[in-house]
Amino acid sequence: MTDTDTDTTDTHASSATEPAPAEPVESTESTGDRDADRESTARNLRRYLNYAVLAGLVLLGVVAALQFYLAAGATINRWVAAEYRSLFRAAFNLAVLLLAALGVSVQLRRLV
């Protein structure tokens, strides 16, 4: 009779432990889904941030190009004058334009 009592106890113990491993598997799958969603959101955020930086650099380039044109025009109008402000503005805006073009090319490489 003790063998039967032991078998009954073992059956109850084994059935009680079987459902426990199933619960962590479900929570692992939902955690994996959450991680995939976070990764997708991070990727989209990075992409939008890259587009925003690209738009800012293009705007900066347009402003610098306009300033360079106006400064070069003022330099030509003055040709040789006592003050070289317009020449220095033209050189500065050209440097900004070149830096903006470099930034645009870097951003385009990131996006492609």
Side-chain angles (χ1 to χ4, degrees):
M1 285 199 179
T2 50
D3 290 333
T4 308
D5 291 336
T6 308
D7 289 339
T8 306
T9 306
D10 288 339
T11 305
H12 291 296
S14 64
S15 65
T17 57
E18 286 179 24
E23 290 177 19
V25 172
E26 291 175 20
S27 64
T28 304
E29 290 174 2
S30 64
T31 303
D33 292 341
R34 280 187 235 143
D35 289 342
D37 289 342
R38 286 180 190 150
E39 187 176 318
S40 175
T41 303
R43 238 184 269 134
N44 287 338
L45 184 61
R46 244 181 268 134
R47 175 183 243 175
Y48 292 137
L49 185 61
N50 280 330
Y51 278 120
V53 168
L54 178 63
L57 289 172
V58 167
L59 180 64
L60 181 66
V62 167
V63 169
L66 181 64
Q67 289 290 327
F68 178 73
Y69 177 77
L70 294 174
T75 301
I76 290 172
N77 288 339
R78 292 186 185 188
W79 194 242
V80 177
E83 297 180 31
Y84 295 102
R85 285 186 208 160
S86 59
L87 181 62
F88 285 109
R89 285 182 194 155
F92 175 74
N93 286 324
L94 179 61
V96 170
L97 178 64
L98 292 175
L99 287 174
L102 178 68
V104 167
S105 68
V106 167
Q107 282 302 112
L108 286 175
R109 286 184 196 143
R110 282 185 186 174
L111 293 172
V112 175

